[in-house]
Amino acid sequence: MTKTYDPGPRIAHAGGINIGTPNLERSLWFFRDLFGMEVTAEDDGVAYLRGYQEFDHHSLVLTQQDEALINTYSFRVARPQDVELFHDQLKADGLDVRVIPAGTEIGRGEAIRFLLPGGGHPIELYYDIDKPLAAEDLRSHLLGNSSRRRGLGVRRLDHLNIMTGPANIVRAEGWLREKLGLKRREFLTLPQNPDFIVASWLSVNSKLHDIAIGASPNGQDAQFHHVAFSIENFHDILTAVDQLRDVGIQIDAGPGKHGIGQAMYLYIRDPGSNHRIELYSGGREFHEPDWQALEWKIDNPHGMTWYGDLPNVDPQTSQYVTTTPSAGLDLPQRRAAAA
């Protein structure tokens, strides 16, 4: 049986995000100069970046374009054949699936692109990706680092956080579990309606989440809440907020520690695109194969924040609850860099 068993196509981890930004230079300053991420390639209005412990070519793509959309949420699959297997499975389920040729993102192989059922978010699945060496002057003596730690010390992309309309949240969250094999780790419900999912944190590995999905406050589908980047420790969060405040970066919430997942957080804005970014450190790990997802009620104040000020969630005044839009099935037209 062990010689014939095939688990089918699987997701390995959250692989990346393509952020559309009207001000590429400002976004590059934020991610490259402040965060310390390495630029692995640039091509006429598109920049590719990675953290100092990422060996894949990139986890972040910055695309200069007029509209600040999230162009792509991407996941790496477990095996080369899983791209084709997912393609066939999704087509059989009636989804419109686009094949994205190798090299569309520099350094990345062929991918497939589709819209999340119930969410409308553009998802890409890929396996092949280059693993270039950093430039010699950026290389670390630590073999586990792809480059030297610089700036605020972003190690890697940790997770994606998306939102969809309340009418579609249960369908979209269920689809991520049933069709992509993501496991629910913790989730948030209403006291008066336990069948309604306010938010859910899902992963395929030991992290709390490769992706989280919540009900959007504005009632719209295809919404983006944030992308999180991992830094090493809690102290680094406090150093980051001190330095970011001093250069005028908008802070939406934090620093604080989540009860759900138990990581320390800081929510800020990319000044080039105005999309929300989280700096994320620590957190509980999930190793049990029979883990039973923890259910939190929305009226439990310890879920969002174990310590630190509770984020402002008043829709009239809050910066934290606002969301930004995603692209559709077709990749947006990018704007070439100025000569």
Side-chain angles (χ1 to χ4, degrees):
M1 290 179 64
T2 56
K3 292 181 179 179
T4 59
Y5 173 69
D6 186 338
R10 292 167 292 148
I11 301 295
H13 61 89
I17 190 167
N18 183 322
I19 293 177
T21 173
N23 190 332
L24 178 60
E25 284 307 311
R26 189 74 170 153
S27 292
L28 267 173
W29 168 77
F30 179 73
F31 288 104
R32 177 192 60 205
D33 301 337
L34 292 183
F35 277 23
M37 296 183 77
E38 175 195 356
V39 176
T40 56
E42 292 186 76
D43 176 41
D44 195 23
V46 184
Y48 300 82
L49 299 93
R50 65 182 178 182
Y52 75 85
Q53 289 185 341
E54 292 181 305
F55 288 89
D56 288 354
H57 186 275
H58 61 272
S59 61
L60 172 64
V61 182
L62 298 173
T63 301
Q64 183 169 292
Q65 59 195 47
D66 293 332
E67 192 173 1
L69 300 171
I70 299 299
N71 297 326
T72 302
Y73 306 88
S74 58
F75 295 85
R76 194 175 186 203
V77 298
R79 308 171 300 181
Q81 64 266 36
D82 287 348
V83 176
E84 182 176 358
L85 290 172
F86 267 123
H87 173 274
D88 294 347
Q89 175 180 297
L90 297 172
K91 291 285 285 185
D93 288 342
L95 272 65
D96 189 354
V97 183
R98 306 287 171 84
V99 175
I100 307 299
T104 302
E105 286 190 5
I106 290 177
R108 197 187 72 175
E110 185 176 80
I112 59 172
R113 180 181 177 91
F114 59 93
L115 298 182
L116 170 63
H121 302 80
I123 292 176
E124 292 185 6
L125 306 180
Y126 69 95
Y127 178 80
D128 291 319
I129 190 163
D130 294 345
K131 298 180 184 295
L133 289 175
E136 191 167 351
D137 63 335
L138 291 181
R139 291 179 198 167
S140 172
H141 293 296
L142 284 168
L143 298 184
N145 292 354
S146 54
S147 64
R148 288 186 287 105
R149 174 174 170 167
R150 303 176 310 284
L152 297 180
V154 164
R155 300 193 297 171
R156 56 175 171 81
L157 183 146
D158 190 88
H159 64 264
L160 308 166
N161 189 302
I162 62 175
M163 288 190 158
T164 193
N168 290 319
I169 179 68
V170 172
R171 178 188 176 206
E173 194 265 356
W175 193 93
L176 288 168
R177 289 188 290 113
E178 294 162 15
K179 298 299 184 178
L180 293 190
L182 289 150
K183 298 175 183 177
R184 183 192 284 173
R185 301 304 190 182
E186 305 192 31
F187 65 111
L188 187 65
T189 61
L190 294 173
Q192 67 275 24
N193 185 2
D195 294 328
F196 178 76
I197 302 294
V198 178
S200 178
W201 290 260
L202 309 118
S203 76
V204 290
N205 43 50
S206 63
K207 296 187 301 180
L208 170 70
H209 48 346
D210 288 288
I211 191 168
I213 185 167
S216 58
N218 61 11
Q220 297 179 13
D221 297 337
Q223 297 295 290
F224 170 73
H225 193 270
H226 69 266
V227 58
F229 292 92
S230 169
I231 57 179
E232 188 169 11
N233 57 56
F234 284 11
H235 179 270
D236 289 335
I237 295 280
L238 300 177
T239 298
V241 73
D242 198 40
Q243 295 184 11
L244 293 168
R245 174 73 78 184
D246 216 19
V247 293
I249 296 300
Q250 178 177 317
I251 296 171
D252 284 0
K257 181 180 176 181
H258 291 305
I260 296 169
Q262 303 182 39
M264 197 165 183
Y265 65 85
L266 176 68
Y267 295 96
I268 54 184
R269 294 294 180 108
D270 163 24
S273 69
N274 201 42
H275 294 299
R276 184 180 296 105
I277 311 297
E278 182 185 17
L279 290 176
Y280 186 89
S281 182
R284 189 194 188 284
E285 295 185 340
F286 298 81
H287 298 287
E288 303 91 331
D290 56 351
W291 174 257
Q292 297 297 307
L294 301 178
E295 180 179 1
W296 294 76
K297 298 296 184 182
I298 199 169
D299 57 354
N300 185 336
H302 300 312
M304 175 59 201
T305 297
W306 177 238
Y307 59 72
D309 293 335
L310 284 168
N312 175 17
V313 294
D314 182 342
Q316 301 302 316
T317 58
S318 176
Q319 297 172 331
Y320 173 74
V321 299
T322 55
T323 56
T324 46
S326 306
L329 188 57
D330 294 316
L331 286 166
Q333 185 67 38
R334 75 189 198 197
R335 175 160 49 90

